[in-house]
Amino acid sequence: MKKATKKRVKRREWTKADIKELKVHSKARTPVIKIAKMTKRSAGALRQKALNLGIGLGHQR
């Protein structure tokens, strides 16, 4: 029997455009789940980046 192989996570760098888009969503108070689907990043990754940038994220802050 073959072992199930795990899908490897590939890290993507944050570009200036990605950061700009995150700030726009922050001002618009877009829900984190929607941002995650649009940017193809996890909600945790978005929250961590927002925390590092010092901006709030999500519709309920």
Side-chain angles (χ1 to χ4, degrees):
M1 237 195 227
K2 268 191 170 181
K3 271 190 185 178
T5 55
K6 267 190 169 180
K7 190 175 179 184
R8 301 267 326 182
V9 176
K10 285 197 177 183
R11 294 174 184 238
R12 280 192 298 143
E13 291 291 320
W14 284 88
T15 62
K16 287 183 179 181
D18 291 337
I19 293 169
K20 194 173 184 180
E21 186 181 2
L22 190 64
K23 287 181 179 180
V24 168
H25 285 299
S26 174
K27 281 198 193 279
R29 292 183 175 257
T30 311
V32 180
I33 298 165
K34 278 188 178 180
I35 303 169
K37 286 179 183 173
M38 286 188 288
T39 58
K40 295 184 180 152
R41 293 182 186 267
S42 69
L46 293 169
R47 289 187 188 282
Q48 280 298 315
K49 191 61 178 180
L51 185 71
N52 287 348
L53 293 172
I55 59 174
L57 202 60
H59 69 288
Q60 295 176 335
R61 294 188 213 170

